[in-house]
Amino acid sequence: MSQQTMQNIPQWHCDVLVAGSGAGGLAAAVTAAHHGLKVIVAERAASCGGATARSGGWAWTPGNPLAKADGVNEPRDDFRNYLKAVIGEADYDHERIEMFLENVPHMVGFFENSTPLKFTPGAKICDIYGRLPGAGTGHRSVAATPFYAKQLPRHLLGILPDQYKMTSFWGMGIMAGPDLGHFLNAMKKPQSFLYAAKRFGIHLYDKIVYKRNMQMVNGLAMIARLVQAADEKGVDIQVNTSVKALIEDGNGKTVGAYLDTPQGTVQVRAAKGVVLATGGYPANIERRKNFPRNPDGTQHWTLAPQEADGAGLALAESAGGYLDDSGRSPAAWCPVSVVKFKDGSEGVFPHIADRAKPGIIGVLKNGKRFVNEANGYYDYVAGMLQAVPEGEAVESWLIGDKRAVRSYMFGYAKPRPIPLAVYTRYLKCIEEADTLDELAEKCGIDPVGLMSTVAGFNRMAKQGKDTDFGRGDTPFNRYGGDASTGYPNPSLAPLGKGPYYAVKVQVGSFGTFAGIAVDAFSRVLRRDGSISDGLYAVGLDQKSVFGGNYPCGGINIGPALTFGYTAARHIAGVTEYEDDGSVCPSADYQGSLLRPSEK
Ligand SMILES: Cc1cc2nc3c(=O)[nH]c(=O)nc-3n(C[C@H](O)[C@H](O)[C@H](O)COP(=O)(O)OP(=O)(O)OC[C@H]3O[C@@H](n4cnc5c(N)ncnc54)[C@H](O)[C@@H]3O)c2cc1C
């Protein structure tokens, strides 16, 4: 840029510039503003929230004050022991994990007590590897409490996305736990039917009156509350605005950035720091070539939005930072199926819950099971990557009988009373057949292998013991199952009468684990170990604190909130905690979607 052009660029001034408005960016922005700093958030998309707004919104927060309020007081050594057992000594980052564990209670307490973001406890959400030392059986996660959005000012509603199409029911989000339970039981229990009908009725009303969903749940509820908190604390949120290049002071210190705004380029001077929170690089095909079995970058289907293309990483590299991909895996794997819609568009569906349901199994092309389907999403994909022979496409099939497919969700297809015809018309990914060998033929699976797998699996399911992969052995497996089938193990039921269904599952991710190398305060590091002054990276922009492992659901958002919070406190020079990391026990943890007073 010439001197002349540079002088004509408008200048904005702030203390902290945050790139990105997901969990990491907004946590940093709200905390910095709470401590009196002037904050600008630049968000590249037309609405806030990135992958966070699409997500389930669960945050792994061991030692959180909601657990304590419920009388659960686990020693911190339990968390350390569990993490050490999952991660292994080589990848265990002592300093960053201590920073995380120390700050979780204060972070949750801060948002609960000083902002409109309220939390619901994950009292029954178990850690994935239940047989490892220190594994938890609940109370280590929180999610944003659902709420009805009429109370939000209109200018904020305008910068919030709709509920994520692929995991919502005609645009209405459903929360894991009692909320989902009512929808799954709508055809069995009258009170669940009434509940589901009322929720959906309100949703239809909102679509007509407000032209959007107003019942905020999951990650969208979290983003809506963080946006509200940011607004109340004076944060300036600019959407359709990307951070393009950093400004250095000549001594290697980052002092601002150039933004692309709808009005043209703007120069921002950030007196205290720039926080990169652009959501990692899962949508960057070129950079994804470092994923296993993905040489040209295209054999991967991420659930993250297209804006998560590594902008933060490129900015960090321009200031001497670097990509640390030394952990167990570069991405947060999730098995996905590609849904083809009637209009030719495609969507990516995450197989989060269906794999674990009794009457559903996962098989490879040879018809054989290869993994404990009811373990974490990460493990299912890691199992595929290991079991599928080199040279073959990395894919598997989930197979279910009619009872399972119509009782639970099966991929994108919802259970009864939604007719399956709705989906067969719109989807091309679900195959249906009256017999297993016919189904195998349709999918290109070895029929003999499949028949013998199902016969063996059915025998084990009747006995309640999966001697092949240990499915149903852990609290996590059993919680994901269904205790009402009448079989001894909630995770296992035989595949009974046809018709049978199959959906092809491929390698996808929630986002990246590899990321910018940072220190415990989330300051960007150079390869020589020195700090890139004035520059921070949080959320998926920083390397996963758990070394590319997946110890529990919520391990993306928990650290994103916590390190956003700690980075902002470091920038503000705050060392005292705002509170003692406790919360008042709330009688209304489950939220207020149906509360008439808020309508
Ligand atoms: C369907 C789904 C379910 C999930 N469920 C969970 C769950 O329950 N628990 C959990 O822990 N994780 C979950 N995840 C993963 C989790 O949502 C993400 O890992 C996490 O929210 C990422 O947060 P972030 O702040 O790093 O990035 P994001 O939330 O992706 O935010 C990054 C933002 O930066 C913006 N941006 C990009 N480039 C620029 C630029 N140059 N300038 C300005 N802005 C920019 C993007 O537009 C985006 O809005 C889920 C993900 C998905 C998709």
Side-chain angles (χ1 to χ4, degrees), residues 348-372:
V348 180
F349 180 85
H351 289 269
I352 294 174
D354 52 1
R355 291 170 291 109
K357 297 297 179 203
I360 294 175
I361 58 169
V363 299
L364 299 176
K365 204 173 155 189
N366 59 13
K368 296 206 164 75
R369 288 175 70 219
F370 59 100
V371 78
N372 174 346

Side-chain angles (χ1 to χ4, degrees), residues 19-25 42-45 49-52 54-58 164 167 241-243 277-279 303-304 307 311 350 510 538-541 554-558 560:
S21 66
E43 168 51 56
R44 176 174 168 182
T52 313
R54 294 181 171 194
S55 76
W58 286 99
Y164 182 41
T167 50
T241 297
S242 10
V243 177
T278 68
L303 296 147
E307 286 84 9
F510 293 118
V538 301
L540 294 199
D541 275 359
I555 51 87
N556 307 295
I557 294 178

Side-chain angles (χ1 to χ4, degrees), residues 373-516:
E373 300 91 337
N375 268 354
Y377 11 78
Y378 176 92
D379 298 284
Y380 189 94
V381 172
M384 275 201 298
L385 287 165
Q386 203 176 20
V388 173
E390 283 292 336
E392 284 184 20
V394 184
E395 56 195 28
S396 68
W397 285 262
L398 287 178
I399 311 264
D401 63 6
K402 185 173 180 184
R403 183 206 62 82
V405 168
R406 300 309 288 133
S407 302
Y408 320 114
M409 283 160 288
F410 187 63
Y412 187 64
K414 308 289 180 288
R416 271 190 297 265
I418 311 302
L420 212 51
V422 170
Y423 298 100
T424 42
R425 242 187 303 135
Y426 288 95
L427 314 180
K428 286 216 173 76
C429 68
I430 292 189
E431 299 288 0
E432 178 185 9
D434 286 334
T435 61
L436 282 168
D437 51 352
E438 199 188 314
L439 186 75
E441 201 159 309
K442 277 188 166 180
C443 300
I445 301 171
D446 173 24
V448 179
L450 181 63
M451 302 282 280
S452 115
T453 297
V454 170
F457 180 82
N458 285 357
R459 268 194 305 277
M460 294 190 294
K462 283 177 196 156
Q463 287 157 6
K465 185 84 191 147
D466 172 12
T467 48
D468 290 344
F469 296 100
R471 174 169 166 181
D473 283 0
T474 61
F476 179 82
N477 286 177
R478 291 191 289 275
Y479 179 65
D482 176 7
S484 73
T485 58
Y487 291 98
N489 190 322
S491 191
L492 304 169
L495 276 78
K497 282 203 220 97
Y500 303 98
Y501 299 87
V503 58
K504 183 158 91 175
V505 171
Q506 291 164 293
V507 177
S509 70
F510 293 118
T512 36
F513 274 158
I516 301 163

Side-chain angles (χ1 to χ4, degrees), residues 222-301:
M222 178 174 285
I223 288 299
R225 288 304 201 191
L226 285 170
V227 164
Q228 185 185 2
D231 190 60
E232 287 176 4
K233 292 184 190 292
V235 174
D236 177 6
I237 301 179
Q238 298 282 332
V239 294
N240 293 309
T241 297
S242 10
V243 177
K244 279 292 173 200
L246 298 175
I247 302 171
E248 287 188 27
D249 68 352
N251 294 313
K253 181 177 178 188
T254 300
V255 291
Y258 289 103
L259 309 186
D260 251 7
T261 79
Q263 291 77 40
T265 303
V266 168
Q267 189 184 143
V268 176
R269 290 280 162 177
K272 290 191 178 286
V274 172
V275 180
L276 303 173
T278 68
Y281 67 91
N284 186 318
I285 292 176
E286 191 53 35
R287 291 214 193 243
R288 268 189 342 218
K289 288 181 182 168
N290 73 351
F291 290 9
R293 313 282 299 267
N294 189 27
D296 67 357
T298 60
Q299 296 310 296
H300 184 87
W301 288 265

